[in-house]
Amino acid sequence: MKRTILLSPGPATTTDTVKQALVVPDICPRERDFSTVLQGICRDLVAIVKGDDAYTAVLFSGSGTAVMDSAISSVVPGNKKVAILVNGAYGERFVDIAQSYGIPYVPVLFDAGTAIDTGRVETVLKNDPAISCIAMVHHETTTGILNPLDEIGQLAEKYRCTFIVDAISSFAGIPIDIRQCRADFLLSTSNKCIQGMAGLAFIICKKSALEQVKNNPKRSYYLDLYNQYLSFEKSGQTRFTPPVQVVYALQQALSEFFSEGGENRYARYTENWRLLRAGLLGLGFSLLLPEDLESHILLTVLEPDDPKFDFDRMHDYLYERGFTIYPGKIRQKSFRLSIMGDLSPEDIRAFLDAVKAFIKAHEISLVPVSY
Ligand SMILES: Cc1ncc(COP(=O)(O)O)c(C=O)c1O
């Protein structure tokens, strides 16, 4: 199979064995054999974040936004507010979801790429007793910034708030201890750092927190978290048709995750991130974030000031050579490169060589744009 290198932040590059796992004998998803596969997947997802019997995973067919939608619409009680910490587009998406359900929310806003100030978050929580939930994105894929999970978890505990964490682009790439960070609901998908195929999203839930959402207003039929949980507990089957083949690919991706080991995966990602970072700086590119704020998964690269530089032209040049790069999502002209997925240091070196050849071929000067 032709190997392509995706430096876009998910769906990520997968192994051939994960791709091959999609091809399975046809099976009805109501069969006991399929339930056994799903139950094993749920146990594995909880184990990745070091959860115990007090936690469970609830699966949905859909992309990451489906579980963001499910968490906000299911978890916030009728007469309470959710504080939403925003320093990028995915924090904004939580706001959009709350707005679309008419759920009262308090946005705590920071510029994209700016660290979340926990002091400011605490002031908001202290002054508004109607806030009973906090929603935060762990790795804000808009810029590559890693937000302070444990610190916000401590505030959630102090102010008795339910803690919803979008770990969509960090789960399985960055070690997370769900008990230590005190997340009640932790969200991710099958197609990012777990290195499976797109089509499944899941919420790892603290069971006691799940029981508390039972009597909340039913704002969504399809994405009702408690019903999805209860139905799977009772029958071992998903409420609605699951993406059957994607489930088998996820089972294979999980087995490969455990063979590699969570710490080793993080070490591999960190090595690839360091190589990419150093290589880009060596070529003369400028980066949005200082190293200490970065997730080790994604870099936002500022476009150079040279009119000869054209993102689309660079994209097409690299795409023809098997590398996919991704546009920026911030005010400044930029593009993003993610190392999530089945990538090796050799892949990163080959990518940097291709970028160098592009720069040379188009005689681009890499003096950064000044803002
Ligand atoms: C942090 C984060 N949250 C949510 C999403 C939305 O996921 P999807 O595009 O799968 O709906 C993404 C997608 O990249 C993401 O990176």
Side-chain angles (χ1 to χ4, degrees), residues 106-119:
V106 179
V108 191
L109 305 174
F110 304 89
D111 287 340
T114 306
I116 285 180
D117 172 358
T118 50

Side-chain angles (χ1 to χ4, degrees), residues 9-10 63-66 68 90 93 137 139-141 166-169 189 191-192:
S63 76
T65 307
M68 296 176 77
Y90 296 105
R93 189 165 300 179
V137 178
H139 171 212
E140 185 42 270
T141 327
D166 170 345
I168 287 173
S169 62
T189 69
N191 57 277
K192 299 240 185 230

Side-chain angles (χ1 to χ4, degrees), residues 286-343:
S286 300
L287 304 174
L288 176 74
L289 295 180
E291 196 176 325
D292 61 330
L293 292 183
E294 282 177 352
S295 61
H296 299 198
I297 292 181
L298 182 133
L299 293 168
T300 296
V301 188
L302 300 176
E303 285 192 7
D305 211 2
D306 189 338
K308 290 201 286 292
F309 180 86
D310 178 72
F311 173 79
D312 291 336
R313 194 186 302 154
M314 181 160 98
H315 169 275
D316 294 352
Y317 177 95
L318 293 168
Y319 188 79
E320 276 167 26
R321 287 154 182 81
F323 303 100
T324 300
I325 62 171
Y326 209 60
K329 219 176 168 57
I330 52 171
R331 180 176 55 85
Q332 297 97 316
K333 280 186 151 187
S334 59
F335 59 95
R336 288 176 292 166
L337 302 172
S338 164
I339 54 75
M340 78 173 55
D342 178 48
L343 302 180

